[in-house]
Amino acid sequence: MNLLLRVLVSWVVVALGFLVTTRLVPGIQVQGGVAGYLVTAAVFGLVNAILGPVLKLVTLPISVLTLGLFLLVLNALLLALAAYLVPALTIDGFWSAFVGAILIGIVAWALNQFLAQPLERALSHR
């Protein structure tokens, strides 16, 4: 699958992750309908792509000491930063961000396993 299609599929998968998360976590809301979810997913993806690796490297010692559990806190902080940058996304507190980041990750992983990867295999056989 070409790069552009992968990015688009990934973007939609994260937007769907936000949709599921807003339905299950009362402290997270996205306003603006489909456009709000897509903008939120795009900014969250950029925050994760730009700041995520740097922060993971800087916090590597504490991540090792906590056996990787600090990465959950880091993901919550990255989600909170995305909420700060995107007016459509509101998060009521740290614990909402913490649970939301975990849920977005799980939903995105599941959608990649059951939708994106089969789509990629189907398109590569053409």
Side-chain angles (χ1 to χ4, degrees), residues 80-95:
L81 177 60
Y84 176 77
L85 296 173
V86 178
L89 175 62
T90 55
I91 300 175
D92 291 341
F94 172 77
W95 291 110

Side-chain angles (χ1 to χ4, degrees), residues 51-117:
L51 290 178
V54 173
L55 292 175
K56 287 175 185 167
L57 182 64
V58 169
T59 61
L60 184 62
I62 193 166
S63 294
V64 169
L65 286 174
T66 61
L67 302 175
L69 292 177
F70 186 75
L71 292 174
L72 297 173
V73 173
L74 188 59
N75 285 336
L77 294 174
L78 291 170
L79 181 58
L81 177 60
Y84 176 77
L85 296 173
V86 178
L89 175 62
T90 55
I91 300 175
D92 291 341
F94 172 77
W95 291 110
S96 293
F98 186 81
V99 172
I102 292 170
L103 195 54
I104 290 167
I106 290 170
V107 170
W109 172 82
L111 288 175
N112 271 319
Q113 294 298 308
F114 298 111
L115 294 178
Q117 288 180 1

